[in-house]
Amino acid sequence: MLLRKLRYGNLKALYAIQGMFSISNLNAQITSYYCHSMVFHQSANNALEVVPGNIYPCQSFSTIVSTILVQARDPAKLSEELQNALDEHKLNEAWNLHEQHMNMEGFPRKSVVNKLLTTSSQSLQLQYLERAYHLVEKAIEEHKQNLLEKTTLIYLSLCLAKASLPVHAATVLRKLVETQQFPPVTAWSAILAHMSLTPSGAYLAAELVLEIGFLFQDGRVDPRKKINEELIAMKPNTTAVNIALGGCLLFGTNRKAEQLLDMIPRIGVKTDVTMLIMMGHVYEQNGRKEELKKLKRYIDEAHDLSNVQFREFYNCLLSCHLKFGDLESASQMVLEMLRKAKKAQDSLGVATFRFEAMKVDNTNTSIQCPQIESQESLTLTPEKTMIPQTLDYEYFFGDRKFLKLEEEAKELLNISVMKFQNKKQLITTKHGILQPTDTVFVKLVKGFLEANKVKDLVQFLIKVEKEDSPVSPDSSPLIQVVNSCISLGWLDHAHDLLDEMRLSGFKTGSSVYSSLLKAYCKENKTQEVKSLLRDARKGGVQLDASCYKALIESHVVDEDTQGALNLFKEMKEAKLDNTSQHSQHNQQEFDMLIQGCGGSGEAKLMAKLLQEIKEGQKVDCGVHDWNNVIHFFCRKKMMQDAEKALKKMRSLGYTPNAQTFHSLVTGYAAVGGKYTEVTELWGEMKVLGLYHGMKFDQELLDSVLYTFVRGGFFIRANEVVEMMEKGKMFVDKYKYRMLFMKYHKTFCKGKAPKFQTESQISRREAALTFKKWIGLF
């Protein structure tokens, strides 16, 4: 009653305040306080206005004075001033007026609230976007969501995503779904596209697609019912899923991407060419060789693939073969590409010759040479895309079906695809024909040598040379591989390669034998020198003078004078004593090969091989094989078989990695109730991380945390949280807040029981710590 009097400007309100206090001394103090602290005057509209004077610090009455200052204004006039400030885009003034209105009257009317939100969003300034977001949060907390229009919230979420605030943007979208104001997929896919430009946003985008897709799994929503019309419009489509997949590939959350692929058939999303290529990338990153083979049939039968997309898939397939150590399949792919490239080159040469001949003929026939799409014309660069950063709300509101946003989402998807494609240049395209790069040969040679398959390596390289003849014998891949082994000190490998080359009838020059002999002499390997000399003579290879000198010096060091004389006599008979310049040239040629700077450019293969062998890590193919077996059992919820496979994997000496544990944890979560098993796995993970350097990634820790929170294992959950925060990993707190509210809403409410065991006390403290972390205090 008192406040109402103040609002309407009744001067008696002051005396009403004083009348509340019966003690005369206190009354005198209040009167004195107001007289010195503020000046009252009555405005033209009969409203009481309070002009602050010298306000003295008085804790007892500061709240009362503040209330009077706010309440003394007319709410209608305040609302009008707020509306005018928004019309003039005076946001700072508008927010101050809004705060006054909230303290006096609560929320303004619906139109003003939405105007404030849209104007703040359109500015794309962080301070106003943050205020708008917190206003939405406050309205929902106080059950005033009826003040918020659906289009306004979609617009706010879009602007938050554009301003690189993906967590806020995702929260607004989630609130829309919770309050059943279902946003159409054409709108929220554009929000996802902007979110996916950052690592945390890309992770949230995948989570959102999975959460929304869960509503439609296995035909839960009947599309024939009119009541489900808005809900059906929210269903994830091909563009939305592609955007989430692109973000996962761009920032390396490949197992989250595989969860998206598992969801696709369950909600009936149509696949397009872009999705097929991204599937290839996901399967390659996760080592799913069998899935890639199945996908190959679709790729080969697709008619709308560009050269770049076709090359991208085969890059993935070849990379997967190499990752698994399937050298036979990889080498067959390379040889097939070389054969097709050679055939196409011959056909192109004939066609070019005929075309030139017809040009010489002065005929009237008009011939147009077909244009071949280059890689540049098939890829989309960010400069070619014109995506506006700001978006006027009136224009946004006028596009009822959000078609412009859908186009914007597709443009951003193309940019995302362009960023993660072509990272592994194993294959290139020339005249529309796939051709292997030097990187493929380097990885294959390394794989053959590590597997000690020298004979297979020689046969492969000989077949390569038949399809793609080098400029000179000394620049052939075989010779470069031998020289690489010599340079690395792998003399036995080099000798084995030369033996296989000789048995296969491959003709080699003297330089490679000379290099190996000198290396043997330097290490005083007499028996190997004799064996290599015999091999060289059998192959009809004539050694140069520098090689003979090295052999003579070796015999002198071993005090084998007769052997040294025999070699000197042999060198004289071959008339090699005056060929120092030739030997110097051979040595320079070998040095150039070592540096990878040969004149023809072919020798660069050797430099890449040396770098790959020195820097590259040996991939344990066995771990990948077992991971696939365990993953298969976990997907089928055959956890006992998965446990047996894990035991067998350990017994064979293979150490599980993050991918192994991720499959097991998600498998146990799918079965349900297997929290003890996950706790045991967590203990093993910590040991492997501490003593064997196992790396914990975000996806693994997130899956473990989800299981612990679901089961109420808060002590373990806090351990995971600590590890994630130490590794500066993004955690979706909103997801865990909702999970806690769903399964543990009544936990830790009220006072703690008087009698508790030590374990109960620890669990309660851990739960309170976790509850505080997710923001429920």
Side-chain angles (χ1 to χ4, degrees), residues 198-460:
T198 61
S200 57
Y203 198 86
L204 275 172
E207 289 279 12
L208 281 168
V209 173
L210 289 171
E211 288 174 14
I212 296 175
F214 180 77
L215 303 174
F216 301 92
Q217 282 187 10
D218 306 322
R220 291 177 181 173
V221 180
D222 189 351
R224 296 170 297 180
K225 293 183 178 179
K226 193 172 182 180
I227 195 174
N228 293 331
E229 188 175 344
E230 286 191 1
L231 181 59
I232 291 293
M234 186 182 67
K235 180 182 174 183
N237 61 5
T238 306
T239 303
V241 175
N242 282 344
I243 288 168
L245 285 172
C248 290
L249 289 170
L250 197 59
F251 296 105
T253 52
N254 302 305
R255 292 190 288 279
K256 184 66 69 177
E258 197 161 13
Q259 291 179 3
L260 288 169
L261 295 183
D262 291 340
M263 182 198 71
I264 288 171
R266 300 187 67 181
I267 63 174
V269 174
K270 294 181 180 179
T271 57
D272 63 353
V273 172
T274 303
M275 188 180 290
L276 288 176
I277 301 303
M278 286 198 283
M279 281 182 180
H281 280 282
V282 173
Y283 291 145
E284 183 266 325
Q285 290 293 323
N286 293 334
R288 311 298 182 209
K289 187 169 61 171
E290 295 303 318
E291 281 80 356
L292 266 176
K293 287 180 179 178
K294 295 175 184 176
L295 189 59
K296 182 178 179 295
R297 294 197 295 268
Y298 293 97
I299 295 295
D300 291 338
E301 294 172 2
H303 301 289
D304 51 349
L305 259 70
S306 66
N307 290 338
V308 174
Q309 291 168 329
F310 196 68
R311 183 193 63 211
E312 280 296 306
F313 173 77
Y314 275 90
N315 255 314
C316 296
L317 183 59
L318 186 55
S319 177
C320 195
H321 285 320
L322 292 170
K323 183 184 289 186
F324 268 89
D326 190 355
L327 301 174
E328 183 180 355
S329 297
S331 57
Q332 288 299 322
M333 273 188 69
V334 170
L335 292 172
E336 184 65 24
M337 280 187 279
L338 289 174
R339 279 193 287 268
K340 289 182 178 180
K342 185 177 182 181
K343 185 177 179 181
Q345 179 116 19
D346 293 341
S347 301
L348 185 62
V350 172
T352 305
F353 174 76
R354 290 178 178 174
F355 179 70
E356 293 295 333
M358 293 179 72
K359 281 176 65 180
V360 172
D361 259 351
N362 194 8
T363 61
N364 294 327
T365 308
S366 177
I367 299 178
Q368 293 183 352
C369 187
Q371 294 181 353
I372 300 171
E373 287 182 304
S374 63
Q375 179 179 339
E376 289 76 13
S377 65
L378 292 169
T379 56
L380 185 64
T381 60
E383 291 77 10
K384 294 179 183 178
T385 61
M386 297 297 292
I387 299 174
Q389 186 63 19
T390 59
L391 179 63
D392 182 70
Y393 178 72
E394 296 301 326
Y395 180 76
F396 172 85
F397 185 75
D399 187 12
R400 292 291 183 175
K401 295 184 178 180
F402 303 104
L403 299 179
K404 292 292 182 183
L405 283 186
E406 189 176 25
E407 291 177 9
E408 187 173 322
K410 290 178 179 178
E411 286 187 32
L412 286 168
L413 172 62
N414 289 334
I415 295 174
S416 176
V417 169
M418 184 196 66
K419 286 180 180 178
F420 71 76
Q421 73 181 6
N422 302 330
K423 285 188 177 181
K424 294 185 178 180
Q425 283 291 349
L426 301 178
I427 301 173
T428 187
T429 309
K430 188 175 181 181
H431 302 301
I433 303 298
L434 300 179
Q435 290 186 332
T437 61
D438 286 347
T439 308
V440 179
F441 293 108
V442 165
K443 291 186 177 293
L444 276 170
V445 169
K446 180 189 174 187
F448 278 120
L449 290 175
E450 286 179 348
N452 202 23
K453 295 182 178 180
V454 177
K455 184 177 180 180
D456 294 337
L457 173 59
V458 171
Q459 290 177 353
F460 166 67

Side-chain angles (χ1 to χ4, degrees), residues 596-645:
C597 57
S600 64
E602 296 286 339
K604 291 184 179 178
L605 171 63
M606 180 177 168
K608 292 178 181 177
L609 178 59
L610 291 173
Q611 185 179 359
E612 176 74 19
I613 291 173
K614 288 178 181 178
E615 298 180 2
Q617 296 181 352
K618 185 174 180 180
V619 178
D620 196 344
C621 305
V623 174
H624 283 287
D625 290 332
W626 280 107
N627 280 349
N628 271 345
V629 173
I630 292 171
H631 178 72
F632 171 80
F633 287 134
C634 291
R635 281 186 66 185
K636 300 294 183 182
K637 300 182 181 179
M638 301 165 63
M639 298 311 298
Q640 290 184 349
D641 293 310
E643 291 167 1
K644 291 177 183 177

Side-chain angles (χ1 to χ4, degrees), residues 1-20 40-43 45-50 67-75 104-105:
M1 185 66 183
L2 171 63
L3 296 180
R4 191 178 300 112
K5 288 181 179 180
L6 275 172
R7 290 193 200 107
Y8 290 103
N10 194 338
L11 289 173
K12 293 180 181 180
L14 176 61
Y15 302 105
I17 295 174
Q18 292 179 346
M20 293 172 60
F40 295 83
H41 73 273
Q42 196 165 11
S43 62
N45 60 356
N46 201 34
L48 180 66
E49 293 185 357
V50 185
T67 305
I68 293 174
L69 286 171
V70 173
Q71 297 292 344
R73 301 198 59 175
D74 183 2
M104 177 174 54
E105 190 79 4

Side-chain angles (χ1 to χ4, degrees), residues 402-542:
F402 303 104
L403 299 179
K404 292 292 182 183
L405 283 186
E406 189 176 25
E407 291 177 9
E408 187 173 322
K410 290 178 179 178
E411 286 187 32
L412 286 168
L413 172 62
N414 289 334
I415 295 174
S416 176
V417 169
M418 184 196 66
K419 286 180 180 178
F420 71 76
Q421 73 181 6
N422 302 330
K423 285 188 177 181
K424 294 185 178 180
Q425 283 291 349
L426 301 178
I427 301 173
T428 187
T429 309
K430 188 175 181 181
H431 302 301
I433 303 298
L434 300 179
Q435 290 186 332
T437 61
D438 286 347
T439 308
V440 179
F441 293 108
V442 165
K443 291 186 177 293
L444 276 170
V445 169
K446 180 189 174 187
F448 278 120
L449 290 175
E450 286 179 348
N452 202 23
K453 295 182 178 180
V454 177
K455 184 177 180 180
D456 294 337
L457 173 59
V458 171
Q459 290 177 353
F460 166 67
L461 291 177
I462 289 174
K463 290 176 182 177
V464 167
E465 294 193 6
K466 288 180 181 177
E467 303 296 339
D468 187 19
S469 301
V471 177
S472 63
D474 287 336
S475 65
S476 70
L478 266 171
I479 299 302
Q480 292 182 58
V481 170
V482 175
N483 284 331
S484 299
C485 292
I486 296 170
S487 177
L488 290 165
W490 297 355
L491 304 184
D492 292 338
H493 275 310
H495 199 162
D496 292 341
L497 283 166
L498 285 174
D499 286 343
E500 290 296 336
M501 289 161 64
R502 180 174 55 80
L503 293 173
S504 300
F506 185 85
K507 299 295 182 182
T508 57
S510 61
S511 61
V512 64
Y513 275 93
S514 299
S515 301
L516 184 54
L517 277 169
K518 290 173 188 176
Y520 275 142
C521 292
K522 190 175 180 180
E523 295 190 10
N524 295 322
K525 293 188 175 182
T526 309
Q527 296 300 322
E528 285 81 356
V529 168
K530 291 179 180 179
S531 174
L532 187 59
L533 274 174
R534 287 194 302 269
D535 294 341
R537 286 164 183 160
K538 286 179 184 177
V541 177
Q542 180 60 61

